[in-house]
Amino acid sequence: MKIIDMKVRTVAIPMNCMLRHNTGVHPGYLMRTILELITDEGIVGLGEVGGGDSRAALLKLKPRIVGMDPFDLEAIKLKVLRSIYYLSNSRLYGAIEIACLDIMGKACNIPVNKLIGGKLRDEIPMIAYLFWRYDRPGGGNDMYAEDMADLCVELKETLGVTAMKLKAGVMDPMEEVRVLQLCRQRMGDGFGLRIDPNGVWSVATAVKAGRRMEELELQYFEDPSWGLEGMRRVKEQVRIPLATNMYPNKFDDLGPAIHLNGIDIILTDLHYWEGPRGVKDLVAVCRTFNLGVAMHSGAEFGIELAAMLHTASTIPAMTMPGDAHYHYLEDDIIAGGKMQYVNGAIKVPEGPGLGVELDEEKMQKYERYYEEHGDYYARFHQDPYRKGWFPNVGGI
């Protein structure tokens, strides 16, 4: 079997609000670049990547993989990821690996999870992700901790989730701490709580906030301050497990992070950690050093969510609910529409391959939507309510 072509399309799907984060705003839609690898046997593998319009970047790699056998992932990885440092991009390789695994599963008539160890669970518990919102359903913006606590209750009731994470670094840090205090009061002691300021807080602010949150018994405090050293200094002073999707988020930095003793939990990501097989490599290292693992969300659509579910289902230690922005989307590009939360979990798709296919009508619809609305990464996640605003990392 040989790869004979690569097709790439960028699509955008509306959300029911705008989502704020410490570097700007998702302006009412999320976007992904969809990859199709076509083989000489007529099998098409699907992949997906975020971070703005990635079509040109992927097409630069096309000559490197056309003619390759999709089963030869080690060789493909060397050609795509290891050969030339200024073309090396684990996010792009992750999309290609997902597509190759989809081809392999379809060719063998088995689900992707069978290719990476076999599933241990049929469904994956997911969180409700709390964002400060602009233009929320019914109108208005989230301004106070009570707004977030109300949203937490609503998502618990509608999705059945048992945990939530606040995307922090947006409002005053102590107001964001108050969100978790209110959620603990309203949701009870058994509900899982997490917070993620994406490294924007200074060490002093992170320590002050962390000490106030110690009594809340959070599942974890994610990326409280910038860099490996920032993580280490916070961990020395706060009695909450520290998690990361930033420091480290690549194998190059994994050894130094472990030696610095700055992390307790690593959030796996199919792009930063070089595809589903790379995540399995990461988990082996985490097991060796007794680090926890959980699943990161990168604002994925159904193709990548399927790959995340397959991967998570094969990891014994991944017992905490996974992250997801998915519940904010109004639609999906996969046949049958959005995957559904049932009692706070999403079912692992059944094969072959990823177990999902593209809805071509939806693809065309959301290609047009993207062309109409554009690449907001190119606009630096502008905040429509604060003209000229830009982030100040460590300034809080």
Side-chain angles (χ1 to χ4, degrees):
M1 183 187 297
K2 302 294 181 185
I3 298 168
I4 61 171
D5 199 7
M6 171 197 287
K7 294 183 179 180
V8 290
R9 292 182 278 179
T10 299
V11 294
I13 297 178
M15 295 185 292
N16 60 12
C17 58
M18 290 191 278
L19 304 180
R20 301 178 66 187
H21 51 90
N22 71 344
T23 56
V25 180
H26 294 294
Y29 60 96
L30 297 175
M31 55 188 182
R32 309 290 282 181
T33 299
I34 306 304
L35 166 71
E36 296 173 88
L37 291 184
I38 298 116
T39 71
D40 57 357
E41 296 184 12
I43 299 174
V44 178
L46 302 177
E48 177 185 315
V49 64
D53 186 344
S54 298
R55 290 176 292 182
L58 281 165
L59 288 175
K60 284 183 179 179
L61 299 173
K62 179 177 176 178
R64 292 172 175 261
I65 63 173
V66 167
M68 298 286 290
D69 186 329
F71 282 79
D72 290 339
L73 274 173
E74 291 297 345
I76 291 173
K77 192 171 189 175
L78 288 172
K79 292 183 70 173
V80 168
L81 189 57
R82 307 293 188 214
S83 298
I84 304 176
Y85 73 92
Y86 51 80
L87 280 178
S88 178
N89 187 315
S90 63
R91 293 173 48 259
L92 302 179
Y93 171 74
I96 291 169
E97 179 170 293
I98 290 167
C100 287
L101 289 170
D102 191 28
I103 291 170
M104 293 160 63
K106 290 171 178 174
C108 297
N109 197 33
I110 57 174
V112 162
N113 63 73
K114 288 284 189 182
L115 299 169
I116 55 174
K119 67 179 179 180
L120 300 169
R121 50 189 78 90
D122 293 327
E123 60 184 22
I124 304 300
M126 308 298 284
I127 68 162
Y129 216 136
L130 296 186
F131 280 81
W132 298 94
R133 298 166 297 172
Y134 285 146
D135 298 349
R136 61 194 180 190
N141 305 325
D142 293 321
M143 300 297 296
Y144 305 104
E146 286 80 5
D147 296 323
M148 289 287 94
D150 290 344
L151 178 59
C152 184
V153 172
E154 175 189 332
L155 292 172
K156 163 65 175 174
E157 292 175 350
T158 56
L159 303 177
V161 295
T162 60
M164 77 90 192
K165 181 165 75 177
L166 174 66
K167 181 62 75 175
V170 175
M171 297 297 198
D172 178 271
M174 297 309 114
E175 184 71 3
E176 294 183 326
V177 169
R178 198 165 71 87
V179 171
L180 272 69
Q181 292 170 335
L182 289 174
C183 288
R184 177 59 73 221
Q185 292 172 13
R186 297 190 187 187
M187 309 306 292
D189 292 340
F191 194 79
L193 297 176
R194 313 168 183 178
I195 187 169
D196 176 19
N198 277 127
V200 75
W201 289 347
S202 67
V203 170
T205 295
V207 170
K208 178 181 178 181
R211 287 176 174 171
R212 291 193 181 188
M213 295 186 293
E214 285 177 345
E215 66 181 14
L216 301 178
E217 298 184 343
L218 304 187
Q219 290 182 331
Y220 56 72
F221 189 3
E222 182 180 343
D223 291 316
S225 289
W226 196 263
L228 297 177
E229 281 291 342
M231 295 288 287
R232 178 189 64 82
R233 291 176 62 195
V234 174
K235 188 173 185 295
E236 288 175 344
Q237 301 177 72
V238 174
R239 295 178 300 158
I240 303 173
L242 256 59
T244 186
N245 173 58
M246 298 172 67
Y247 314 111
N249 66 3
K250 57 184 177 180
F251 285 101
D252 295 355
D253 297 334
L254 182 55
I258 292 171
H259 286 300
L260 284 170
N261 191 30
I263 48 174
D264 297 295
I265 299 164
I266 295 182
L267 305 187
T268 68
D269 184 291
L270 300 185
H271 293 287
Y272 298 136
W273 295 102
E274 303 177 5
R277 298 185 319 133
V279 165
K280 298 285 285 195
D281 291 341
L282 169 65
V283 169
V285 176
C286 290
R287 183 171 62 248
T288 301
F289 290 94
N290 203 22
L291 298 172
V293 292
M295 184 167 59
H296 174 251
S297 172
E300 57 281 333
F301 296 171
I303 295 168
E304 185 166 339
L305 180 57
M308 290 165 57
L309 296 170
H310 280 288
T311 305
S313 75
T314 71
I315 300 172
M318 195 171 283
T319 55
M320 285 191 289
D323 287 357
H325 298 63
Y326 195 67
H327 54 90
Y328 288 105
L329 288 174
E330 293 187 348
D331 202 358
D332 204 343
I333 51 169
I334 56 175
K338 286 180 64 178
M339 299 184 198
Q340 298 300 309
Y341 281 75
V342 178
N343 297 323
I346 301 179
K347 184 178 175 59
V348 179
E350 297 179 356
L354 292 172
V356 297
E357 296 294 342
L358 292 178
D359 182 322
E360 189 56 39
E361 184 177 335
K362 294 285 182 67
M363 282 292 296
Q364 294 178 22
K365 175 180 178 180
Y366 294 121
E367 276 189 285
R368 292 192 298 269
Y369 190 92
Y370 169 72
E371 294 300 329
E372 292 167 1
H373 291 81
D375 186 346
Y376 60 80
Y377 282 81
R379 302 192 297 269
F380 302 104
H381 289 247
Q382 290 175 336
D383 188 323
Y385 289 97
R386 295 185 291 175
K387 186 176 181 179
W389 175 89
F390 56 89
N392 182 14
V393 174
I396 298 177

